[in-house]
Amino acid sequence: MKHYRKLGDTPRWNDLLIWVPSFAQRLLYPESTCASCTAPLDTSEVLFNPISPNVYCTRNRSPDHLSLRCVERKCVEKFQSLAHLKTHVKRYWWHASFNCAIPGCGVPLEISQTKSHFLTEHKDVKYHCAQCGTGFDAIRQLDDHGKNTMHSAYVCRYPECGSESTRSGEMNRHHLSHSQSVPRHPCPHCRKYRGDNGFKRKDHLRQHIRNYHHIDVDAQDPNIDESVGHPCTFEGCDKTDFETEKLMKIHLKKEHPSPYQCSYPGCHRIGTNGWMRERDMVKHMKKDHES
């Protein structure tokens, strides 16, 4: 059973009692108005995109409009994004520009205090797999769990979406498809996908050029970023060019022996007809072979 709310539901602040332990958002920006013009800030991404959220000025979203600031009393620095602010507080670690994101806590925290604060005050808060509910102390561990078990460790929380991924990096790229403020990648071969209609993700532009215009974009661009491809995780397989993680999983299930197979003599659930998850194999053994 999946450990998230029904698709289409809009998370409320009390949902963070579930959402925050399950995902990466442990620090919140404490200000509610723009640092440059005092307009209200749009913080909706904090609810829907807990892995790599941003906060925007509701009046001006231009790149040179600095809507965030370091809240340290003697600091006057302003920033365009949460990522830039986090870089600043990592350098000036004594600047407590974020609050604890756990509802009911909210204490100001220096970056260096975050780990010890959660170990002492919120030791039960974990990064939980969205598919099986197993908790981990770090995002890296949850990514490894998703890779090793092929679980959908992350699920998109935007209404009516529900896209899944085994890795946080893939989910980060997916979240760009929901953002209205990211740079666009125009298609150089047609007028339809230019300007505001350009692609939000470069790998989607590559897929469009390859499938619609039938042009080998990889051969045209020697500097193409191969990191957007999804290599097969089966040891010894040289397939590395899957456009999406879902296509890689389909290939893995069809072409390679399953990691978990039935050991009962004569059972047909072997080879590619096994399971990707150990608990599915155990369930089968108990149901079909235990007397």
Side-chain angles (χ1 to χ4, degrees), residues 11 13 16 25 27-34 39-50 52-58 61 67-68 82 157-158:
W13 276 108
L16 291 181
Q25 187 66 8
L27 297 174
L28 289 177
Y29 180 66
E31 300 288 277
S32 59
T33 58
C34 176
L41 292 175
D42 178 0
T43 60
S44 58
E45 277 200 13
V46 175
L47 287 175
F48 292 119
N49 178 8
S52 57
N54 203 3
V55 175
Y56 306 97
C57 174
T58 55
R61 294 198 179 190
S67 56
L68 309 178
L82 285 177
R157 288 164 25 201
Y158 279 84

Side-chain angles (χ1 to χ4, degrees), residues 70 75 77 79 84-92 95:
C70 176
C75 186
E77 294 289 331
F79 307 92
H84 293 152
L85 176 57
K86 288 180 179 179
T87 300
H88 168 78
V89 297
K90 285 180 181 178
R91 181 178 181 184
Y92 301 97
H95 290 194

Side-chain angles (χ1 to χ4, degrees), residues 178-192:
H178 296 295
S179 178
Q180 298 300 319
S181 59
V182 297
R184 305 297 177 124
H185 300 283
C187 177
H189 305 289
C190 63
R191 295 182 179 181
K192 181 177 180 180

Side-chain angles (χ1 to χ4, degrees), residues 162-233:
S163 294
E164 301 172 339
S165 175
T166 61
R167 299 179 300 163
S168 58
E170 174 66 19
M171 186 55 65
N172 284 343
R173 288 194 292 271
H174 166 76
H175 282 144
L176 295 178
S177 64
H178 296 295
S179 178
Q180 298 300 319
S181 59
V182 297
R184 305 297 177 124
H185 300 283
C187 177
H189 305 289
C190 63
R191 295 182 179 181
K192 181 177 180 180
Y193 296 104
R194 294 184 182 180
D196 290 340
N197 291 326
F199 294 91
K200 297 177 183 178
R201 291 174 50 174
K202 193 172 183 180
D203 54 325
H204 288 173
L205 170 62
R206 293 173 57 204
Q207 187 175 6
H208 163 76
I209 294 175
R210 182 182 296 113
N211 296 338
Y212 186 80
H213 297 290
H214 306 291
I215 297 174
D216 187 355
V217 66
D218 296 331
Q220 283 194 342
D221 187 358
N223 298 317
I224 198 73
D225 183 7
E226 297 294 342
S227 64
V228 300
H230 295 272
C232 177
T233 57

